[in-house]
């Protein structure tokens, strides 16, 4: 039997959810128009007034916000509440361009914690669970987001943050942690370390993991489930729209339910901005229906995915989003072909390799090059040089099938590719250095 944290809303009828969204949208547009000059100017430019928005059917009339707007308005331009009413900020790492800063009122934090609590309960969590949070704490939303959710559920919460992997495992054993929350790449690393410490999943008491913050494949899910002896649940979110808990997976494991009472989702054509019908693949756009501190309307996430309202066996009625393939700006265009790192990962795991890999793209004499470095397990490494070359060739052939272009594959020694304790860095695009 499925458990819910807030059953009335999580299983409300679609009509009820839509009516609630309409009611909240009308109010939120008014609030934003009054409080956020930056967005008011965008609406004025488009000739839209709050009176034009009578329900969710009018959403398409509103202007989009993009990452560029967030940079232009940095740091206070999109603030939606008095600074004295804000109690916290979070921020993205800002590796490309200016960092993003999001503001939270106490109400924002409460609702965010509820969203994460829904995710933990959907993963089987109760107040009897011991929840080890191994997402980074600090400006990153992962640690404090799941931490707040675990408190609401009443779990005994272990605020570990990421890193110090052997200590993570010692705590897991000493305290009998039942749920682990971290990035999927860190979960894979913990599984690997467990084995290296001479331990097996039987030596720990974990039953579930809540993993997100980066794209991960179904193949990787199965690997992690096996190495830690758990059921692995996906969780999605972004700093601009609060953090983790925008969407979460239930036991069906076929996509993530979007917390639609707080986040109104659309899929658009990333080229034209046109809203696409349900079931189409496109860019995910979110409107925050409740946020006070940082109330973004029609924010273009650049995440590419598909939405579906197919009934779910868990009884939740919230629309589901498929695993995002990666951000549209993570997509590599190599010799004119679109390549997502997740496609490479799928091939690797299918062919029996580890998800420890690095993709290097460069341009030599005006031609794009694609090199994929794949780490071997100690058992695979004992093969002869002749076998290695044959394996490199057959892996490259398998990749052509998936990608449509030929990479150069390099099988490298165990432990030569750096492990990730947070979001994994899988791609080095050297072409950017020449531009
Ligand atoms: O990664 C928030 C988060 C923390 C989500 C912990 C889940 C768990 P940002 O650092 O702002 O926030 O990065 C947001 O990460 O737009 C996606 O591209 C990607 N992302 C997040 N979750 C998933 C997921 C956090 N489950 C960006 N699958 C998003 C694929 C994800 N990509």
């Amino acid at each position: 039997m499925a458990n819910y944290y807030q059953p009335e809303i999580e299983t409300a009828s679609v009509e009820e959810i839509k009516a609630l969204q309409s009611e909240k949208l009308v109010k939120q547009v008014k609030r934003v128009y009054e409080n956020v000059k930056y967005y008011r100017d965008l609406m004025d430019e488009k000739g839209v007034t709050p009176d034009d928005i009578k329900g969710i059917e009018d959403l398409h009339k509103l202007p989009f916000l993009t990452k560029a707007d967030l940079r232009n308005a940095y740091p206070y331009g999109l603030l939606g509440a008095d600074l004295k009413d804000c109690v916290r900020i979070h921020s993205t790492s800002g590796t490309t361009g200016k960092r993003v800063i999001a503001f939270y009122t106490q109400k924002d934090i409460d609702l965010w914690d509820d969203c994460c609590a829904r995710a933990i309960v959907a993963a089987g969590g109760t107040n009897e669970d011991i929840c080890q949070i191994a997402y980074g704490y600090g400006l990153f939303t992962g640690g404090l987001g799941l931490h707040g959710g675990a408190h609401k559920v009443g779990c005994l919460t272990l605020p570990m943050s990421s890193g110090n992997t052997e200590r993570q495992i010692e705590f897991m054993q000493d305290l009998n942690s039942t749920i682990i929350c971290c990035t999927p790449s860190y979960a894979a690393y913990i599984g690997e370390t467990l084995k290296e410490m001479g331990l097996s999943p039987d030596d720990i008491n974990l039953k579930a993991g809540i993993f997100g913050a980066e794209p991960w494949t179904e193949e990787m899910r199965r690997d992690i489930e096996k190495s830690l002896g758990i059921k692995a649940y996906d969780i999605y979110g972004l700093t601009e729209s609060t953090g983790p808990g925008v969407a979460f997976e239930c036991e069906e494991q076929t996509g993530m339910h979007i917390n639609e009472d707080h986040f109104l989702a659309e899929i658009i054509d990333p080229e034209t901005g046109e809203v696409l019908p349900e079931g189409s693949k496109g860019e995910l756009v979110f409107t925050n229906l409740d946020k006070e501190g940082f109330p973004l309307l029609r924010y273009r996430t650049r995440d590419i995915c598909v939405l579906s309202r197919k009934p779910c066996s868990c009884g939740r009625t919230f629309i589901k989003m498929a695993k995002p393939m990666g951000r549209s700006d993570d997509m590599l265009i190599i010799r004119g072909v679109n390549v997502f790192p997740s496609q490479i990962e799928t091939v690797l795991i299918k062919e029996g390799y580890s998800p420890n890999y690095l993709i290097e793209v460069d341009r030599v004499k005006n031609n794009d090059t694609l090199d994929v470095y794949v780490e071997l397990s100690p058992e695979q490494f004992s093969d002869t040089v002749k076998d290695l070359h044959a394996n490199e060739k057959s892996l490259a052939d398998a990749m052509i099938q998936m990608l449509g272009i030929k990479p150069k594959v390099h099988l490298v020694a165990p432990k030569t590719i750096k492990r990730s304790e947070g979001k994994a860095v899988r791609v080095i695009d050297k072409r950017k250095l020449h531009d």
Side-chain angles (χ1 to χ4, degrees):
M1 230 288 280
N3 277 321
Y4 314 107
Y5 179 66
Q6 288 166 318
E8 313 75 45
I9 186 67
E10 291 180 61
T11 60
S13 72
V14 175
E15 295 70 38
E16 282 170 319
I17 293 170
K18 288 192 171 172
L20 179 68
Q21 288 180 322
S22 282
E23 189 191 313
K24 286 187 175 188
L25 179 69
V26 171
K27 283 195 198 134
Q28 183 73 328
V29 171
K30 284 205 173 76
R31 269 198 67 240
V32 170
Y33 193 81
E34 279 160 24
N35 294 352
V36 185
K37 180 179 178 311
Y38 190 95
Y39 200 74
R40 178 163 67 240
D41 289 347
L42 290 181
M43 283 177 66
D44 289 347
E45 225 170 84
K46 218 172 169 227
V48 196
T49 69
D51 289 340
D52 295 325
I53 309 301
K54 303 209 162 45
I56 50 174
E57 63 285 0
D58 295 321
L59 183 63
H60 67 99
K61 297 179 183 163
L62 291 170
F64 289 119
L65 280 171
T66 64
K67 193 111 173 178
D69 290 307
L70 265 52
R71 289 196 191 118
N72 292 339
Y74 178 88
Y76 292 122
L78 287 160
L79 185 68
D82 270 354
L83 211 49
K84 71 171 170 36
D85 294 325
C86 293
V87 296
R88 203 196 289 169
I89 68 153
H90 280 282
S91 173
T92 59
S93 53
T95 39
T96 51
K98 198 123 197 128
R99 70 185 78 252
V100 167
I101 290 194
F103 300 86
Y104 302 73
T105 63
Q106 187 56 50
K107 182 181 160 210
D108 293 336
I109 303 265
D110 276 346
L111 296 183
W112 179 20
D113 290 350
D114 283 344
C115 289
C116 287
R118 289 178 190 172
I120 293 171
V121 171
T126 69
N127 59 3
E128 297 194 2
D129 278 293
I130 298 171
C131 187
Q132 184 157 338
I133 316 278
Y135 284 111
Y137 277 63
L139 288 170
F140 177 54
T141 52
L144 283 162
L146 268 308
H147 178 102
H151 271 222
K152 284 238 176 176
V153 176
C155 302
L156 176 64
T157 309
L158 275 50
M160 302 292 297
S161 200
S162 58
N164 208 336
T165 310
E166 293 200 0
R167 192 183 61 183
Q168 299 271 3
I169 292 170
E170 282 160 22
F171 263 89
M172 235 173 242
Q173 287 199 293
D174 295 349
L175 292 175
N176 277 325
S177 309
T178 49
I179 300 178
I180 174 99
C181 304
C182 62
T183 60
S185 52
Y186 193 39
Y189 182 24
I190 294 175
E192 191 182 356
T193 310
L194 187 76
K195 194 168 166 201
E196 278 169 14
M197 288 167 76
L199 299 170
S200 83
D202 293 339
D203 297 308
I204 53 174
N205 200 31
L206 287 182
K207 63 175 187 189
I210 304 177
F211 307 129
E214 60 184 357
W216 53 309
T217 55
E218 285 301 329
E219 290 77 12
M220 187 145 166
R221 182 196 320 253
R222 281 193 286 278
D223 265 17
I224 296 172
E225 288 188 330
K226 204 161 129 221
S227 72
L228 292 174
I230 58 171
K231 189 155 170 167
Y233 297 82
D234 204 352
I235 184 166
Y236 168 89
L238 60 163
T239 315
E240 299 92 312
S241 273
T242 296
V246 169
F248 62 94
E249 216 169 36
C250 62
E251 72 258 18
E252 211 188 72
Q253 293 180 311
T254 53
M256 294 173 273
H257 290 284
I258 295 176
N259 279 311
E260 283 189 281
D261 50 337
H262 305 307
F263 308 101
L264 179 52
E266 298 169 274
I267 291 283
I268 62 160
D269 178 330
E271 304 295 327
T272 63
E274 183 200 347
V275 179
L276 299 177
E278 195 199 301
S280 319
K281 184 164 154 189
E283 180 179 348
L284 192 53
V285 174
F286 278 115
T287 293
N288 288 327
L289 293 171
D290 289 293
K291 269 207 96 180
E292 297 177 334
F294 204 58
L296 301 190
L297 304 181
R298 297 200 89 199
Y299 179 66
R300 293 184 58 160
T301 62
R302 295 184 291 184
D303 288 322
I304 302 293
C305 80
V306 178
L307 299 182
S308 157
R309 239 188 234 289
K310 231 171 90 200
C312 185
S313 60
C314 78
R316 286 178 186 79
T317 41
F318 289 153
I319 202 164
K320 282 209 254 190
M321 59 181 272
K323 260 178 187 303
M325 284 278 286
R327 287 197 158 190
S328 50
D329 46 354
D330 287 341
M331 185 183 77
L332 298 159
I333 302 181
I334 305 169
R335 288 174 234 146
V337 177
N338 299 346
V339 174
F340 279 101
S342 56
Q343 294 174 301
I344 293 181
E345 184 176 304
T346 299
V347 176
L348 289 182
I349 301 186
K350 266 199 189 127
E351 298 290 317
Y353 292 92
S354 74
N356 297 311
Y357 63 98
L358 190 68
I359 300 166
E360 202 175 88
V361 189
D362 204 349
R363 186 168 293 145
V364 181
K365 292 190 189 136
N366 287 326
N367 271 324
D368 290 341
T369 57
L370 169 62
D371 288 82
V372 183
Y373 296 85
V374 183
E375 195 181 288
L376 293 167
S377 64
E379 303 82 59
Q380 290 166 323
F381 192 54
S382 56
D383 289 349
T384 63
V385 173
K386 199 168 132 222
D387 288 339
L388 275 187
H389 286 320
N391 290 343
E392 282 175 342
K393 190 177 170 310
S394 77
L395 191 51
D397 288 342
M399 283 187 195
I400 299 177
Q401 296 292 319
M402 173 69 106
L403 308 176
I405 57 166
K406 185 170 181 179
K408 188 158 177 28
V409 171
H410 310 261
L411 295 175
V412 299
K415 292 276 163 201
T416 41
I417 291 182
K418 195 169 174 289
R419 300 293 186 268
S420 149
E421 295 172 352
K423 298 190 191 230
V425 179
R426 309 271 196 210
V427 181
I428 300 177
D429 194 342
K430 293 186 168 171
R431 294 175 301 184
K432 289 182 183 151
L433 301 174
H434 315 314
D435 288 343

